[in-house]
Amino acid sequence: MLLILRLLLRFSTIFAFVLGMVVLIARVGFVVRRSFLLWLFLGYLPFFVSAVLLSVKRIPSWSSLNALLDSQNNCGGLLMASDEVDLGFWQARLGSLDAPVLRWRAGKRAAVFTLAAMFVVVSFIVPQRYMKIASARPLNIGMDVEKLGEQIETLKQEKIVSEEKADEYEQKLEQLKDKASGYDPVKTWEALDHIQQNAKNEAEEAAMSALSQTEAVTKAAGLAEGLYEGGSEIKSNVYSEAVSELSAMVKGLLSENEHLRNSLDPNLLNACEQGELSSEQLKQLAEALKANKLELSANLRKLCEANLADLKNLKMCERLGQCDVAGLKAFLCQDANSMCIGDALSMCCGNPGRGGISRGRGDAAMTWTEGSSEEDAKFKEQVLPAASLAALKESMTIGVTVEAPTVEDGAASLSGDVLGQAEAGGGEAFRRTILPRHKGAVKRYFERK
Amino acid sequence: MGKKGRLDEVLEPEQLKAAVSLAKRMLEELDSILLGRPQLHQMVLVGILSQGHILLEGVPGVGKTALVKALGQLMNLEFKRVQFTPDLMPGDILGTHILQEDEDGKRQMYFQPGPVFTNILLADEINRASPKTQSALLEAMQERCVTLLGETRSLPEPFFVLASQNPIELEGTYPLPEAQLDRFLFKLNVAAANVDVMDSIISTRRRGEPPMPKWSVGREELGVLFDVMDKIFLPKPVSRYISRLVGATVPRTAEATEMVNNYICYAASPRAAIAIAEAARGCALIAGRPTVGFEDVRAVTTAVLNHRIILNYKARFDCVDSFAVIDDLLSALDETGVNLPADVEIAERMDE
């Protein structure tokens, strides 16, 4: 029994050290739950069985034990001889025998076992947050998260995103900050890029909306101011047509522009809806629209300052906010029948520019140059990759931009990789995704001469 | 004499009692003749009971010759003494053929037996004779017979060689070869007597002459002792211990100690194991036990092994002698074979 206990203690010590190490590695390296790690205690079973089997194997033979008993009781070989021959008279000499008392100096082993057991306990009870010390190399994304947080806050203040969505973004950012690991930075950067892209998309959409609203507000404000200044000089038929045009424009604006709706007086709103605006109401409307235009511009400026919108949008906004009120007044007073009020507004307000396939606003008229001859023209047929073809088929027009399209240097590749250029029908192929962060580097590499 | 007892039975107490009383009386007589050496006397008696030859080593004047002479007188056997000198020839010990004329006037070669044809041969200062003469004793000691001119003659039974040698004055001596040393059951060191013993000797004995024994053992009584010796039972664990002890003197074996590995050049032979077993039987008889115990083995091991293990030069440099190696072996080897782990020990009893 003592031998079994002794070996059990030794094996238990080894098991405890191994278990402690495994638990630590599992918790540090793989963030495994503690409840799951408790199953590791089942691993003690082989240790226990091995200890018992080895101990049984090491138990001394009967003759050895008999010899020990003989030696301890000073039997002078009589006891040992009793195993082999009949002692006869000498049997009585043996008398009562005292079994030897074994003493186990287990102090050192017990101390080591206690240490091992404590190691196991500590490996289980250490909170997971301390395990992070070694779990991963820290990835410093604090600056990025802070910057992104400010952008989301701006979007939230400008009511571009709802509060719920903004909170969701912030939670995601917090999670990213907590789980950012130097061992897998790509995952973190991808997640950050995704959130930033979403925020930029929202801001871009808002900027586009602000630009289109600025243009509409400018036109409405210019028309209202022109009507107010023209007054009686404008013919009645032109005046009524202009007022109804203005009412329609204001109605359209009110459905999209909440600020404007809140800033207008209810009487003025009724007048606008009925299309009967007095001179004073025209003045009020013009002022309200101008104030709204400034507000839209200020909002766009904030987006630009938050690096969510391009500065060219702000410039566009300023350009769209300009209106030749005097010209418009002159047009209204002169009653230029050859042009409708809409055309006049387009001429006096806004700047559609000259259109082309690579320049001008989306709604700008196309400027055609001399047509090219198709003679001797050689066209190279190109089969679109399956993905690009599918993307084209599933594409739909969601709006017309008020700014010129961005033209990149060189031909924009239809797909981002070499395999994408391969003939279709080649079966499955590994598609390497170039991450947004790396695109610039790759592009610069190929541009370098 | 020499009749072997059965190995599957234990001596009857009456048989043992008679033998033990004889042995004790022999010891008492020896102790009374030679003062202050009870342990040496016991070992010599063990050697006699084992029918082995004994080599006594000691400086001059410590009583080696006196002990052997007293033994011869005590055993009432034929006793001869040979003083070994460098010019002693084998024929001077074994005997020689001489040409004699018989009554008919016919001349024939007759064998004249040497002093070896006796029961107890005292080979005094054996290391002074030449190796040739020393070797003449080889057959006599082992086979207890002498072969001369192709004719083998048995020596009388019992036959003991009690040799003495002087460890000093080594100039002009011939150390005994290992083969001959191995023939001796024991090599016993005879140390100088202490002050009290010397005082007793010079105050009670004129010129230090030991008294004659008051009693002697006859040939028949000796035969009884040898018969009882044959019946002393050797249990298997004890014989196993003896084998392990002798086996452990071989360097780089499983149970060899560090000292054995470092210092032993040639290990003890199986003859050593046989000698230990025989001597342990003698010890058990003197102790009045019908079986051999571990303590008997421990008591005789040093005397049996000390001249049988040959140490290397490293041992000489480190001033290690065979006694130190044997003591180390005895303390390191677990006699019972239980081989308890190092951290488990047997608690001493409270009543001890």
Side-chain angles (χ1 to χ4, degrees):
Chain A
M1 197 64 192
L2 181 67
L3 289 175
I4 294 175
L5 270 176
R6 188 176 159 275
L7 217 57
L8 262 181
L9 189 67
R10 177 186 284 188
F11 276 53
S12 301
T13 306
I14 295 169
F15 173 76
F17 274 121
V18 171
L19 178 67
M21 286 303 296
V22 170
V23 169
L24 275 183
I25 290 167
R27 291 189 65 197
V28 169
F30 305 100
V31 198
V32 182
R33 278 182 299 141
R34 274 178 278 199
S35 55
F36 181 76
L37 290 172
L38 286 173
W39 287 100
L40 289 175
F41 277 101
L42 284 178
Y44 183 66
L45 203 60
F47 280 79
F48 180 82
V49 172
S50 306
V52 171
L53 287 178
L54 274 176
S55 304
V56 169
K57 203 175 170 185
R58 288 182 188 177
I59 287 175
S61 64
W62 173 249
S63 66
S64 296
L65 290 173
N66 215 15
L68 178 67
L69 201 60
D70 186 295
S71 174
Q72 288 298 303
N73 288 280
N74 297 319
C75 295
L78 271 176
L79 189 61
M80 290 183 274
S82 68
D83 263 359
E84 301 168 44
V85 291
D86 179 25
L87 290 182
F89 171 81
W90 297 101
Q91 190 74 41
R93 286 276 190 95
L94 286 175
S96 62
L97 300 170
D98 296 327
V101 180
L102 297 178
R103 185 180 293 156
W104 180 23
R105 294 193 306 271
K108 198 174 169 185
R109 284 185 192 278
V112 176
F113 173 73
T114 310
L115 203 67
M118 282 168 66
F119 178 51
V120 172
V121 172
V122 167
S123 68
F124 268 100
I125 64 170
V126 169
Q128 188 64 40
R129 62 176 178 277
Y130 294 118
M131 294 289 183
K132 282 182 183 173
I133 295 167
S135 67
R137 287 180 297 174
L139 182 66
N140 189 9
I141 56 166
M143 292 280 285
D144 297 296
V145 168
E146 194 179 343
K147 193 176 162 190
L148 207 49
E150 285 172 4
Q151 289 179 342
I152 288 164
E153 188 61 31
T154 306
L155 292 176
K156 188 178 164 184
Q157 282 173 3
E158 296 304 317
K159 295 185 179 175
I160 294 169
V161 292
S162 62
E163 286 195 2
E164 291 79 16
K165 199 159 188 179
D167 289 342
E168 191 184 330
Y169 280 138
E170 281 168 359
Q171 279 179 6
K172 277 185 183 174
L173 282 176
E174 281 299 316
Q175 283 179 2
L176 273 177
K177 198 174 176 183
D178 289 342
K179 292 182 180 175
S181 163
Y183 288 115
D184 192 12
V186 175
K187 198 175 170 183
T188 309
W189 291 124
E190 273 185 352
L192 275 177
D193 282 348
H194 179 70
I195 294 173
Q196 193 171 31
Q197 194 58 44
N198 282 352
K200 276 198 169 178
N201 288 344
E202 298 270 7
E204 198 72 24
E205 206 174 311
M208 287 298 130
S209 172
L211 285 176
S212 61
Q213 281 184 32
T214 302
E215 187 182 17
V217 168
T218 304
K219 282 179 179 176
L223 187 57
E225 200 174 354
L227 284 171
Y228 170 71
E229 285 183 4
S232 57
E233 294 175 28
I234 304 169
K235 287 181 181 176
S236 60
N237 60 334
V238 177
Y239 188 86
S240 59
E241 188 189 346
V243 168
S244 61
E245 180 75 21
L246 180 61
S247 297
M249 288 170 73
V250 171
K251 277 180 191 172
L253 279 171
L254 288 173
S255 64
E256 294 175 2
N257 197 327
E258 194 184 345
H259 269 283
L260 183 65
R261 192 165 57 241
N262 294 336
S263 63
L264 288 181
D265 188 61
N267 293 331
L268 189 57
L269 274 175
N270 283 335
C272 281
E273 282 175 5
Q274 289 168 10
E276 292 173 357
L277 287 162
S278 64
S279 176
E280 193 60 31
Q281 283 174 328
L282 281 172
K283 189 182 177 185
Q284 283 179 10
L285 183 62
E287 285 172 357
L289 287 168
K290 278 182 183 176
N292 189 250
K293 187 176 72 177
L294 290 173
E295 199 175 341
L296 285 169
S297 177
N299 288 348
L300 195 57
R301 185 178 297 279
K302 279 185 185 174
L303 290 178
C304 289
E305 284 171 357
N307 205 20
L308 283 166
D310 206 336
L311 269 177
K312 66 184 180 184
N313 288 332
L314 192 61
K315 286 177 185 170
M316 174 71 78
C317 182
E318 285 171 2
R319 204 164 63 237
L320 289 173
Q322 292 170 1
C323 184
D324 183 8
V325 179
L328 189 59
K329 178 191 163 189
F331 166 78
L332 291 171
C333 293
Q334 289 171 7
D335 186 18
N337 287 328
S338 58
M339 290 177 76
C340 67
I341 289 175
D343 291 340
L345 280 172
S346 295
M347 282 183 67
C348 297
C349 307
N351 186 17
R354 295 174 65 196
I357 58 168
S358 62
R359 64 181 186 276
R361 296 164 37 132
D363 56 350
M366 288 292 286
T367 306
W368 300 101
T369 56
E370 290 179 4
S372 55
S373 171
E374 290 188 4
E375 286 179 10
D376 299 330
K378 289 180 181 175
F379 297 97
K380 186 182 176 184
E381 287 187 358
Q382 186 180 17
V383 179
L384 289 174
S388 302
L389 204 57
L392 275 177
K393 282 177 183 172
E394 289 170 6
S395 64
M396 55 185 288
T397 308
I398 56 170
V400 180
T401 63
V402 292
E403 60 177 336
T406 306
V407 179
E408 294 179 354
D409 292 342
S413 60
L414 292 168
S415 69
D417 56 12
V418 178
L419 283 173
Q421 304 288 343
E423 295 289 329
E428 285 294 320
F430 175 71
R431 294 178 66 83
R432 185 183 182 85
T433 306
I434 297 179
L435 298 170
R437 165 171 293 274
H438 304 141
K439 274 181 179 169
V442 174
K443 189 177 165 186
R444 282 196 297 278
Y445 175 79
F446 284 109
E447 279 177 352
R448 199 177 299 148
K449 300 293 182 185
Chain B
M1 213 179 288
K3 183 183 161 189
K4 299 292 172 191
R6 286 176 62 191
L7 293 174
D8 58 350
E9 64 180 13
V10 180
L11 270 171
E12 291 298 320
E14 291 75 21
Q15 274 182 295
L16 184 66
K17 196 176 174 184
V20 170
S21 66
L22 270 175
K24 296 258 179 179
R25 185 140 189 216
M26 283 176 78
L27 268 179
E28 283 169 12
E29 283 296 324
L30 271 178
D31 289 345
S32 65
I33 295 169
L34 298 165
L35 300 176
R37 292 210 172 82
Q39 287 181 340
L40 176 68
H41 296 161
Q42 183 167 340
M43 290 308 291
V44 168
L45 183 59
V46 167
I48 296 296
L49 291 174
S50 309
Q51 300 186 58
H53 312 295
I54 299 168
L55 176 63
L56 298 170
E57 188 176 81
V59 293
V62 289
K64 300 186 292 290
T65 309
L67 170 63
V68 176
K69 281 172 75 177
L71 207 59
Q73 291 161 354
L74 181 64
M75 289 202 284
N76 201 15
L77 296 173
E78 191 182 351
F79 169 77
K80 285 180 182 167
R81 173 180 174 168
V82 179
Q83 185 68 43
F84 277 58
T85 55
D87 60 348
L88 192 75
M89 297 304 288
D92 298 334
I93 301 171
L94 302 178
T96 186
H97 288 84
I98 55 173
L99 190 64
Q100 270 192 343
E101 193 177 307
D102 58 11
E103 293 170 353
D104 302 334
K106 193 177 177 183
R107 290 180 179 176
Q108 279 189 331
M109 295 292 280
Y110 285 95
F111 178 68
Q112 182 62 43
V116 76
F117 287 87
T118 183
N119 293 117
I120 301 173
L121 175 69
L122 169 58
D124 212 7
E125 297 197 84
I126 191 171
N127 57 337
R128 291 205 176 276
S130 65
K132 188 179 177 183
T133 312
Q134 288 172 356
S135 298
L137 276 174
L138 279 177
E139 188 191 8
M141 288 171 74
Q142 184 61 31
E143 309 294 333
R144 294 172 197 274
C145 57
V146 172
T147 304
L148 277 170
L149 295 178
E151 192 177 344
T152 301
R153 294 178 175 83
S154 295
L155 296 177
E157 284 194 25
F159 174 70
F160 306 107
V161 175
L162 302 173
S164 70
Q165 69 175 7
N166 189 344
I168 59 170
E169 296 173 358
L170 293 175
E171 195 175 346
T173 63
Y174 302 90
L176 288 172
E178 277 74 31
Q180 189 159 13
L181 274 176
D182 201 33
R183 259 71 174 177
F184 285 102
L185 178 78
F186 290 156
K187 179 183 168 190
L188 300 171
N189 280 322
V190 185
N194 62 31
V195 174
D196 294 335
V197 174
M198 283 193 286
D199 185 27
S200 299
I201 291 170
I202 58 178
S203 60
T204 59
R205 292 171 185 184
R206 182 73 183 136
R207 295 191 191 88
E209 286 177 2
M212 290 295 286
K214 298 168 189 167
W215 169 86
S216 61
V217 190
R219 197 175 289 266
E220 287 180 7
E221 287 168 319
L222 267 178
V224 170
L225 278 174
F226 294 148
D227 283 345
V228 170
M229 270 288 288
D230 288 340
K231 289 177 182 171
I232 298 287
F233 190 82
L234 181 70
K236 279 183 182 170
V238 181
S239 65
R240 178 79 185 161
Y241 176 50
I242 295 168
S243 309
R244 286 169 56 218
L245 255 179
V246 176
T249 61
V250 181
R252 282 164 285 285
T253 49
E255 293 191 294
T257 63
E258 197 178 341
M259 281 188 93
V260 168
N261 288 333
N262 286 337
Y263 298 126
I264 290 187
C265 183
Y266 295 103
S269 64
R271 191 182 282 149
I274 297 165
I276 292 175
E278 285 306 306
R281 279 194 169 96
C283 255
L285 192 153
I286 293 172
R289 278 187 274 105
T291 53
V292 180
F294 294 118
E295 60 269 38
D296 302 320
V297 176
R298 281 197 299 270
V300 300
T301 298
T302 307
V304 172
L305 289 183
N306 76 89
H307 58 291
R308 285 186 162 96
I309 54 176
I310 313 298
L311 303 182
N312 55 23
Y313 281 100
K314 194 179 174 190
R316 282 194 192 180
F317 292 143
D318 293 348
C319 299
V320 173
D321 57 14
S322 56
F323 295 98
V325 177
I326 294 164
D327 286 346
D328 176 61
L329 204 57
L330 284 171
S331 60
L333 210 62
D334 178 19
E335 58 196 19
T336 60
V338 171
N339 287 325
L340 289 171
D343 55 348
V344 177
E345 61 183 12
I346 297 166
E348 288 181 12
R349 289 188 207 161
M350 296 298 287
D351 56 348
E352 284 182 357

